[in-house]
Amino acid sequence: MADDPQNQGNSGPEGDQGEPQNQPQGDQGNGPEGEPNDDQADELSTERAAREAAEREAARLRRANAAQRGTDLDALRAEIRAEFTEQLVRAELRAAAAGKLRDPADALALLDVASLAGSGSELDTDAIGKAVAELVKAKPYLAAPDQNSPAPMWGDVGAGQHETAEPEPASPFDRLRRAYSK
């Protein structure tokens, strides 16, 4: 078996020097009726006892950890406050980025929400606004298009219907006259 010092590291029936081992073939280590030997039974019972003791200790530690976490209400409150503050900062960041960025989710992805949350429970909306403004300054391609700026020159390629300043000529001769008179 695996605990036999003569058989460690050997994969075949031969020892280190190539000599055959003196073990019977078939039910190795088993008694005449297929029952384990006394040594194997002792090993199995000690392994079972050790496993049961380890399981009892693990269950005791789980209960102790659960009991300790349940009584530490201040730590639970601080954790809940931190999560709530982070959610508030995310909402405020989305609101601040709504008119300034094409996609307000970019602000959540590119800015550090934890640093904007701070240590207190109060939100610093000025710091959030400055962070969004710095993001727009650093990455202008993320900025929302300005409504007052003219349309980009490359946007109109001349396809589609356009309003003309001159009315459509009434006859084909008028069309030719207009085309060649200029």
Side-chain angles (χ1 to χ4, degrees), residues 146-162:
D146 189 15
Q147 299 298 332
N148 297 332
S149 67
M153 296 304 290
W154 50 268
D156 183 19
V157 292
Q161 292 182 347
H162 293 286

Side-chain angles (χ1 to χ4, degrees), residues 81-119:
R81 244 186 232 113
E83 288 177 14
F84 183 67
T85 303
E86 185 174 333
Q87 288 176 355
L88 285 175
V89 168
R90 286 177 174 276
E92 186 67 29
L93 193 56
R94 269 187 252 125
K100 297 178 183 174
L101 296 177
R102 290 180 191 262
D103 186 9
D106 290 341
L108 293 174
L110 298 172
L111 295 176
D112 185 20
V113 177
S115 68
L116 293 172
S119 60

Side-chain angles (χ1 to χ4, degrees), residues 1 6 10 17 23 35 44 48 50 53 58 62-63 70 72 83 86 93 97 106-107 110 118 121 129 142 151 172 179:
M1 305 289 349
Q6 293 178 348
N10 297 332
Q17 290 80 19
Q23 293 185 355
E35 296 177 10
L44 288 175
R48 284 184 187 135
R62 278 193 295 268
R63 285 191 306 270
D72 194 7
E83 288 177 14
E86 185 174 333
L93 193 56
D106 290 341
L110 298 172
S121 61
L142 295 176

Side-chain angles (χ1 to χ4, degrees), residues 88-89 91-93 95-97 100 116-117 121-133:
L88 285 175
V89 168
E92 186 67 29
L93 193 56
K100 297 178 183 174
L116 293 172
S121 61
E122 294 292 322
L123 292 180
D124 189 7
T125 55
D126 294 334
I128 293 172
K130 288 178 185 176
V132 171

Side-chain angles (χ1 to χ4, degrees), residues 9-117:
N10 297 332
S11 59
E14 299 179 356
D16 290 337
Q17 290 80 19
E19 301 171 1
Q21 297 287 328
N22 294 333
Q23 293 185 355
Q25 299 296 326
D27 292 336
Q28 292 182 355
N30 290 342
E33 298 173 5
E35 296 177 10
N37 291 340
D38 292 335
D39 292 338
Q40 290 175 338
D42 291 340
E43 288 178 25
L44 288 175
S45 64
T46 54
E47 286 180 21
R48 284 184 187 135
R51 187 184 76 233
E52 289 171 1
E55 288 175 356
R56 282 193 303 268
E57 180 67 15
R60 185 189 66 80
L61 289 174
R62 278 193 295 268
R63 285 191 306 270
N65 285 341
Q68 184 179 5
R69 269 187 272 145
T71 58
D72 194 7
L73 294 178
D74 292 334
L76 286 173
R77 285 185 186 125
E79 184 179 339
I80 291 170
R81 244 186 232 113
E83 288 177 14
F84 183 67
T85 303
E86 185 174 333
Q87 288 176 355
L88 285 175
V89 168
R90 286 177 174 276
E92 186 67 29
L93 193 56
R94 269 187 252 125
K100 297 178 183 174
L101 296 177
R102 290 180 191 262
D103 186 9
D106 290 341
L108 293 174
L110 298 172
L111 295 176
D112 185 20
V113 177
S115 68
L116 293 172

